[in-house]
Amino acid sequence: MSAKSAISKEIFAPLDERMLGAVQVKRRTKKKIPFLATGGQGEYLTYICLSGRISGPAENRPARFLNYKGKPTKYKEQMTNKKPTQASITKVKQFEGSTSFVRRSQWMLDQLRQVNGIDPNRDSAEFDLLFENAFDQWVASTASEKCTFFQILHHTCQRYLTDKKPEFINCQSKIMGGNSILHSAADSVTSAVQKASQALNERGERLGRAEEKTEDMKNSAQQFAETAHKLAMKHKC
């Protein structure tokens, strides 16, 4: 099981939440600590997770069994077309030597004020998140993982927030639309439908021509039969 599937199962599923997306990150700048912390738990991995909670019994919800990239996954997450009653961004950590995950800071999605992609002209793994009461500078494990998370985050904000939508700045166009995985999927479906429709139309035209030829042959055969019958009757007389 992947780390993100494990986070979804261990952190969000018990609270009747579904994880929409996640990105593994490291801080670009270290936080200033005013005192020397003692009893630390050592090195750790950090994940920024986007999740939503749906009201109503889980057994009554239709499941699509997709992971955060929209592809089938071994861990069958509960996915639904219903809007979550609330969406949030959660910081999750996994400490060195441990197989479990720990929930840390959490913000409601409407507390997110700004998403900074740092560079709109190139694939960059760096980004900033500005909340009402917090500001973090991150580096994703890869630029591709950051891009996927941004696409899901932007889509979620546009769909689920009626007001106080965060500002997305310095982001590539494929994150805001255009070639995003969400639009690409829709375009693929549309293209497939159009191709199928075109094939049916072409097939219909071919069948129409075949029917016309068949009708002509039928008429010719009928005329030939009538002529032959008349000739046979004439010779018989």
Side-chain angles (χ1 to χ4, degrees), residues 151 174 177-192:
Q151 288 170 345
K174 62 183 177 181
N179 294 327
S180 74
I181 56 173
L182 301 170
H183 288 80
S184 295
D187 291 343
S188 298
V189 173
T190 302
S191 177

Side-chain angles (χ1 to χ4, degrees), residues 24-88:
Q24 183 180 338
V25 297
K26 289 184 178 180
R27 290 191 181 278
R28 287 211 314 277
T29 56
K30 292 184 178 180
K31 274 194 171 182
K32 295 181 179 180
I33 303 177
F35 59 90
L36 181 62
T38 58
Q41 293 177 277
E43 296 295 323
Y44 54 83
L45 300 177
T46 303
Y47 298 85
I48 302 298
C49 307
L50 175 65
S51 65
R53 178 176 295 173
I54 304 297
S55 60
E59 61 270 15
N60 293 332
R61 301 180 205 140
R64 288 168 54 196
F65 302 150
L66 305 177
N67 67 5
Y68 77 108
K69 286 186 177 180
K71 298 180 180 179
T73 177
K74 291 182 180 179
Y75 173 64
K76 296 178 175 59
E77 301 173 19
Q78 283 276 348
M79 300 291 286
T80 173
N81 290 326
K82 293 182 179 181
K83 291 185 179 181
T85 55
Q86 64 180 32
S88 58

Side-chain angles (χ1 to χ4, degrees), residues 36 75 99 107 198 211 216 219 237:
L36 181 62
Y75 173 64
T99 58
W107 301 269
Q198 182 179 354
E211 288 177 357
D216 291 342
N219 293 335
C237 295

Side-chain angles (χ1 to χ4, degrees), residues 3-20:
K4 290 169 185 175
S5 294
I7 291 172
S8 180
K9 183 176 181 180
E10 183 177 335
I11 298 295
F12 298 107
L15 297 178
D16 199 22
E17 293 182 71
R18 58 186 175 95
M19 191 170 76
L20 306 175

Side-chain angles (χ1 to χ4, degrees), residues 165-184:
K165 293 181 182 180
E167 179 186 19
F168 281 73
I169 64 173
N170 300 322
C171 294
Q172 293 176 291
S173 59
K174 62 183 177 181
I175 292 174
M176 309 301 290
N179 294 327
S180 74
I181 56 173
L182 301 170
H183 288 80
S184 295

